[in-house]
Amino acid sequence: EYYLTSHVLLILTPILLAFTIFGTTFLVKLVQIYKKELVQLGIIGVVLYIATDYVWQLWPYLSDMVLHTVSNIFALSYHTEVSDPQILTVADFKVQVGEACSGLESLFMFSALYGLIGHFEWKNIKHKVYLLTFIPLAIGLYLVNILRVYLIVLIGVEWSPDLAIKLFHTYLGMVFFVIYF
């Protein structure tokens, strides 16, 4: 019940804002001009929404890979320990490598944006290059996520756990994603 209500409100909010800001006449004309594109975006949105549920089931595997990769890197110069549930301890700094650390959100957002660019620019791009570069770029993004988690833990170990968790955990991923994309 709350799940459905929250989704309906999330969908209605920008629609109602658009009517408030732009007015009915402008929006009706906009829909008439861009009907084909809006239908395409609607279909893409539904597909992405459905795909999100399936893709999100991968987070434990990706998170576990991040946990062990970062742990092995830190083991070169610090005392590290891995314990359940996905807890990484480096020196005296302890952190759980959970859903947000899996990199799945970035990979999904990257895939969606990459797909949208391909869809709308198909006539203007080199198809072979576009198709062949997706996997290496996705792997690169995942490596950037491992670097992000490593830096967050390093900041927590060397400077301030509060700074690492409260500031860098929240914003470092967004900054790295924008730079990488």
Side-chain angles (χ1 to χ4, degrees), residues 53-123:
D53 285 338
Y54 291 106
V55 171
W56 199 252
Q57 295 172 14
L58 297 173
W59 82 260
Y61 306 107
L62 295 173
S63 185
D64 197 50
M65 287 171 30
V66 171
L67 169 70
H68 290 290
T69 303
V70 171
S71 173
N72 289 334
I73 294 169
F74 273 109
L76 298 172
S77 54
Y78 292 91
H79 172 72
T80 62
E81 224 175 276
V82 174
S83 57
D84 286 329
Q86 296 180 304
I87 303 291
L88 173 63
T89 305
V90 178
D92 293 330
F93 183 66
K94 192 179 281 193
V95 65
Q96 183 176 24
V97 180
E99 289 180 37
C101 301
S102 69
L104 193 59
E105 286 181 28
S106 294
L107 283 170
F108 192 75
M109 191 171 13
F110 171 78
S111 299
L113 291 172
Y114 198 83
L116 286 172
I117 289 169
H119 175 76
F120 289 111
E121 294 295 325
W122 191 251
K123 295 175 185 170

Side-chain angles (χ1 to χ4, degrees), residues 35-54:
K35 187 186 301 185
K36 178 183 170 189
E37 291 83 358
L38 290 170
V39 169
Q40 287 177 348
L41 285 175
I43 292 168
I44 290 168
V46 169
V47 168
L48 288 176
Y49 182 79
I50 293 168
T52 302
D53 285 338
Y54 291 106

Side-chain angles (χ1 to χ4, degrees), residues 3-14 16:
Y3 181 77
L4 180 62
T5 304
S6 65
H7 279 75
V8 168
L9 287 174
L10 281 172
I11 292 168
L12 280 178
T13 300
L16 294 175

Side-chain angles (χ1 to χ4, degrees), residues 4 26 61 73 91 119-121 127 129 134 142-143 148 158 161 166 170:
L4 180 62
F26 175 79
Y61 306 107
I73 294 169
H119 175 76
F120 289 111
E121 294 295 325
H127 303 144
V129 173
F134 175 75
Y142 192 69
L143 294 174
R148 176 188 73 89
E158 291 293 330
K166 292 180 181 171
T170 304

